[in-house]
Amino acid sequence: MVIRKYKSSDCEQLVELFYQTVHNVNAKDYTKKQLDVWATGCVDLEKWDKSFSEHYTVVAVENGVIAGFGDIDEAGYLDRLYVHKDYQNQGIGTAICDELEQNVRADKITTHASITAKPFFEYRGYKVVREQQVIRGGIPLTNFVMEK
């Protein structure tokens, strides 16, 4: 596996990976309606590319396939961390998270972890600050504000 910096040419693949991961991996913890408002399949590629480019964003590549990605901003907010549905439990999320955490100069790192991702972050030493309900399209989604 190779961890490399994000390139704008990755954006479409990352958006597809995000959609597939949410709709397959997170399906055990969220309803179909929740998954549909979380990952609609219709995103503004320009906006996502701008966000990825402004953050420290890395991509994990395994045998020529993008297997995961993650991004963190200067303030230490770990925004996105997604691993391809076919590459779960192979250390990819850990490798991406290690890279992100080591390349931020913030005093603490925060994230909004899904129900699915919460155990992963707890294992890494993150603590739950609070549970929250995020409303998307009138549908509540539970996640956890966590910090390390």
Side-chain angles (χ1 to χ4, degrees):
M1 174 185 39
V2 174
I3 303 275
R4 64 163 172 78
K5 285 188 135 183
Y6 168 78
K7 302 179 293 200
S8 290
S9 59
D10 296 326
C11 194
E12 272 188 64
Q13 284 181 276
L14 300 194
V15 166
E16 179 63 21
L17 187 154
F18 161 74
Y19 180 87
Q20 293 298 329
T21 300
V22 168
H23 281 269
N24 288 278
V25 177
N26 298 93
K28 66 184 171 95
D29 297 308
Y30 295 90
T31 67
K32 171 114 174 62
K33 279 186 180 179
Q34 289 173 316
L35 299 172
D36 288 343
V37 295
W38 178 359
T40 63
C42 187
V43 302
D44 183 336
L45 287 173
E46 210 172 283
K47 194 173 171 181
W48 274 54
D49 179 50
K50 184 177 190 296
S51 173
F52 286 141
S53 298
E54 290 173 350
H55 295 172
Y56 180 69
T57 304
V58 296
V59 174
V61 180
E62 180 75 32
N63 298 321
V65 175
I66 293 180
F69 70 92
D71 67 309
I72 193 166
D73 69 15
E74 289 179 5
Y77 176 63
L78 198 159
D79 190 1
R80 290 162 285 218
L81 177 63
Y82 291 92
V83 175
H84 190 290
K85 65 182 180 66
D86 298 334
Y87 291 87
Q88 296 286 310
N89 303 307
Q90 296 179 27
I92 293 167
T94 297
I96 293 169
C97 211
D98 287 347
E99 178 70 18
L100 296 175
E101 290 175 1
Q102 290 164 12
N103 282 281
V104 70
R105 290 177 170 72
D107 293 336
K108 66 180 174 187
I109 299 170
T110 59
T111 194
H112 294 179
S114 67
I115 295 167
T116 315
K118 182 177 172 252
F120 170 83
F121 285 106
E122 286 175 326
Y123 182 78
R124 294 185 63 83
Y126 286 74
K127 302 288 182 220
V128 173
V129 175
R130 70 181 178 280
E131 179 177 326
Q132 65 182 5
Q133 299 292 315
V134 177
I135 308 298
R136 293 235 173 107
I139 308 284
L141 295 164
T142 298
N143 72 17
F144 301 88
V145 177
M146 300 182 79
E147 66 182 36
K148 179 179 181 181

